[in-house]
Amino acid sequence: HPAHIHQKKELDMKKLSFAVIICLILVTAFTAQAQFKLAIGGITGFNLSIHSGSDVQSTGTGLGFAIGGQADMSFSKNIGIVTTLYFYDGRGGSYTNSYNYYGTNYTSDVSASVGYFEIEPLFKYTLPSAPIYIIGGPSIGFAVQNSYDVKTSGQSASQKGTIQEMNARFELKAGAGYTYYVISRDLRLNGQFTFGYGVSNVQSNVNWKIMTFALHTAIEFDVIK
């Protein structure tokens, strides 16, 4: 049965995501070559999300806002894990659809307000001779915002509702960042640019995925050094 197969795939995907996280932590721990260091801080920034899929009438785009906390763990001079907990990560989008109904042309502005609570453990490699780092790994999110709004020309009221059966979001993310030391090496700003590929569908039994380009800034300070 298609629904049963889809549920099995979603379950397998969740198991895979947790396995990837555990593997990242174990690999990094076993390759540690120096004293453990830990920095914590906050992160915020903006996302450009691209909505697509065979069940989406047209490709949609939207700007979103993200805010969260971050733990930056170093196991050697170059290798570590940076884990971000996003309290809110907006991934909304919109598109315009034109169609003809019984000889009359209509235009609909369709928007989806989608936001997630996310945990994002990423492998981090810092270049030896520059304050530049590369990050990559999985991201897992749970919906905290899931509404839609359809405004059609010729209609006085818009159609609003809740997006049902939202899936947990599983994303693969990769990118790079630059570290700027504010006062000393103990307090710094990290500017990072990432690309996230949404592996899971936004909604159950609907072919609808989100890809995201993100530009975020984090401020962090050492607590273990």
Side-chain angles (χ1 to χ4, degrees):
H1 191 277
H4 177 72
I5 295 174
H6 178 78
Q7 291 174 356
K8 185 177 184 301
K9 287 183 178 179
E10 290 294 333
L11 182 60
D12 292 341
M13 191 177 298
K14 292 178 182 178
K15 291 180 179 179
L16 176 62
S17 65
F18 284 109
V20 170
I21 293 173
I22 295 300
C23 287
L24 276 174
I25 295 173
L26 291 177
V27 169
T28 305
F30 282 116
T31 56
Q33 300 176 1
Q35 181 183 2
F36 173 79
K37 297 180 180 180
L38 172 65
I40 60 173
I43 186 169
T44 187
F46 296 94
N47 308 322
L48 172 63
S49 295
I50 302 173
H51 297 243
S52 61
S54 60
D55 293 327
V56 180
Q57 293 177 318
S58 181
T59 300
T61 58
L63 290 175
F65 172 75
I67 186 169
Q70 196 170 78
D72 190 348
M73 296 171 283
S74 298
F75 297 93
S76 72
K77 183 178 179 180
N78 307 108
I79 296 176
I81 289 179
V82 55
T83 300
T84 305
L85 188 67
Y86 287 104
F87 309 123
Y88 176 80
D89 192 352
R91 303 296 184 95
S94 63
Y95 64 86
T96 299
N97 181 42
S98 298
Y99 60 95
N100 184 282
Y101 184 73
Y102 287 102
T104 302
N105 293 322
Y106 292 93
T107 300
S108 293
D109 294 321
V110 182
S111 63
S113 297
V114 180
Y116 294 91
F117 172 85
E118 293 181 342
I119 181 169
E120 188 178 276
L122 303 180
F123 177 83
K124 179 179 179 181
Y125 176 76
T126 303
L127 300 184
S129 58
I132 298 173
Y133 59 89
I134 300 169
I135 50 177
S139 176
I140 302 172
F142 304 93
V144 295
Q145 184 179 20
N146 55 332
S147 62
Y148 69 87
D149 187 359
V150 181
K151 297 179 181 179
T152 304
S153 60
Q155 296 182 0
S156 58
S158 62
Q159 302 175 27
K160 298 182 179 181
T162 301
I163 302 172
Q164 302 295 329
E165 299 181 342
M166 292 280 287
N167 288 327
R169 176 171 177 78
F170 178 54
E171 178 180 79
L172 295 177
K173 180 171 283 190
Y178 181 86
T179 300
Y180 174 77
Y181 298 100
V182 181
I183 300 175
S184 66
R185 299 186 70 88
D186 296 337
L187 180 65
R188 51 198 173 271
L189 289 173
N190 292 328
Q192 63 186 38
F193 178 77
T194 58
F195 170 73
Y197 178 78
V199 178
S200 59
N201 283 318
V202 177
Q203 191 178 10
S204 296
N205 302 317
V206 177
N207 190 345
W208 170 20
K209 290 183 171 63
I210 302 176
M211 296 182 294
T212 303
F213 294 92
L215 184 61
H216 292 167
T217 301
I219 183 169
E220 64 179 30
F221 59 92
D222 291 327
V223 291
I224 299 176
K225 58 181 180 178

